[in-house]
Amino acid sequence: MIRFVIPAYNEAENIPKLLADLAPVARELGARVIIVDDGSTDGTADVIRAHARDMHLAIVSHTKNRGLGTAINTGIRSALGESSDDDAIVTLEADTTSDLSDLPRMLELFDQGKDIVLASVYAPGGKIIGVEGWRLAASKSVSNTFRYLGGLREMHTLSSLYRVYRAGTLRRAADTYGYLLVREPGFAANVELLLKLYNAGASVAEVPTTNDWTTRKGQSKMQLKPTVLAYLRVMAAHMVGRIQPPAVSPLAEVTAPQHVLDTPAPPAKAIEPGRQPLPQTG
């Protein structure tokens, strides 16, 4: 079984195209779609319901914006609550920049035994279209820094959201780290989660992809200064060994996935993590 997990914050403009592109893929795969509405104020949840088509789709809602990392945490835990260990959990961008034509190759590597398969814009054959030069340079710097510090030198893109995870790998990490599975609330969460899984023994592969920003509407939610500070926190945590797996956390059961309501039912109650995240980074 395949489950798509899609964090969304004020993506009402992009949801119609996202679901139109995703619907035939999800139907063919027999997949379930879980969208985490991260406190949107533009009617994102209503647009999702209006364009859900015949997909097996659920919405999980935060009552206020908690950040991308917190939305990933919520979505992963919701998916784990109904997944077996060999199921695939696919995280996608809500802004339509994840190229679904790369998914078959990603799932092929997953079926061959890889625990995590990354869609990589910096791998040979990958590229980014329509991104400002400073943002591209910053993204490359982040990936290159953590490639060497984290031991993932054969991978080229470590900060992307578009990935395929083995549910059992995520479940073991969730049991180990408890509510700190994804500590960073913002965009640095993708690097943090990858390092934690890799350090716990997960096998990783990547597939070159094209990330086309000209297909999306609206502005990026990433704020430069908070994101840079977040990456520095992850780097410091890695350098002092805090990314390494700790003993099994007694909090694991406390942080079990919340209930997911199928659309068109009202959104589920928000998960309120103990750590206060940075605002508007989702």
Side-chain angles (χ1 to χ4, degrees):
M1 182 72 178
I2 297 171
R3 289 168 179 83
F4 290 96
V5 170
I6 307 174
Y9 173 61
N10 285 349
E11 295 289 357
E13 290 183 293
N14 290 306
I15 291 297
K17 183 179 187 306
L18 170 73
L19 296 184
D21 292 345
L22 183 58
V25 175
R27 281 196 297 269
E28 182 178 352
L29 295 172
R32 177 171 172 80
V33 178
I34 300 172
I35 300 181
V36 182
D37 179 14
D38 187 27
S40 297
T41 58
D42 67 345
T44 290
D46 293 333
V47 177
I48 293 169
R49 295 187 183 97
H51 293 82
R53 302 172 187 267
D54 57 349
M55 285 185 290
H56 189 189
L57 186 148
I59 301 173
V60 181
S61 292
H62 292 165
T63 56
K64 61 181 179 178
N65 178 239
R66 308 298 294 176
L68 176 64
T70 308
I72 292 170
N73 202 356
T74 296
I76 284 174
R77 292 180 186 281
S78 297
L80 287 177
E82 55 189 45
S83 298
S84 62
D85 281 355
D86 282 329
D87 286 351
I89 295 177
V90 182
T91 51
L92 283 179
E93 301 278 3
D95 63 5
T96 75
T97 56
S98 298
D99 189 347
L100 291 170
S101 68
D102 295 317
L103 186 59
R105 177 56 181 156
M106 295 170 72
L107 291 174
E108 181 182 349
L109 291 172
F110 174 85
D111 289 337
Q112 292 173 5
K114 296 298 182 182
D115 297 315
I116 309 167
V117 183
L118 313 174
S120 176
V121 293
Y122 301 131
K127 60 182 176 179
I128 303 181
I129 300 172
V131 176
E132 301 97 323
W134 71 266
R135 189 183 295 272
L136 187 61
S139 175
K140 283 185 177 180
S141 296
V142 167
S143 286
N144 287 336
T145 297
F146 285 102
R147 283 174 64 199
Y148 287 95
L149 287 179
L152 284 155
R153 298 190 181 191
E154 294 182 1
M155 302 298 109
H156 295 82
T157 307
L158 275 62
S159 58
S160 63
L161 175 63
Y162 187 16
R163 300 172 178 177
V164 179
Y165 295 97
R166 191 169 304 278
T169 300
L170 287 170
R171 195 188 317 281
R172 287 187 292 274
D175 289 343
T176 299
Y177 287 97
Y179 77 99
L180 295 179
L181 172 63
V182 183
R183 185 186 184 98
E184 286 297 330
F187 286 83
N190 291 311
V191 171
E192 177 198 2
L193 181 56
L194 179 60
L195 289 176
K196 284 179 174 176
L197 297 176
Y198 178 72
N199 285 330
S203 58
V204 185
E206 68 179 1
V207 169
T209 192
T210 296
N211 193 317
D212 187 355
W213 278 43
T214 65
T215 66
R216 67 193 297 275
K217 297 180 180 180
Q219 300 298 314
S220 171
K221 313 302 189 303
M222 187 183 78
Q223 297 177 349
L224 181 60
K225 182 177 178 180
T227 301
V228 169
L229 292 175
Y231 280 122
L232 290 175
R233 284 195 300 270
V234 173
M235 185 184 302
H238 178 73
M239 296 298 289
V240 300
R242 281 173 45 207
I243 294 291
Q244 298 294 331
V248 175
S249 170
L251 297 174
E253 291 190 10
V254 177
T255 57
Q258 71 177 68
H259 180 59
V260 178
L261 297 178
D262 284 334
T263 53
K269 183 179 179 182
I271 287 182
E272 299 291 342
R275 185 175 181 275
Q276 198 64 234
L278 301 170
Q280 298 189 358
T281 51

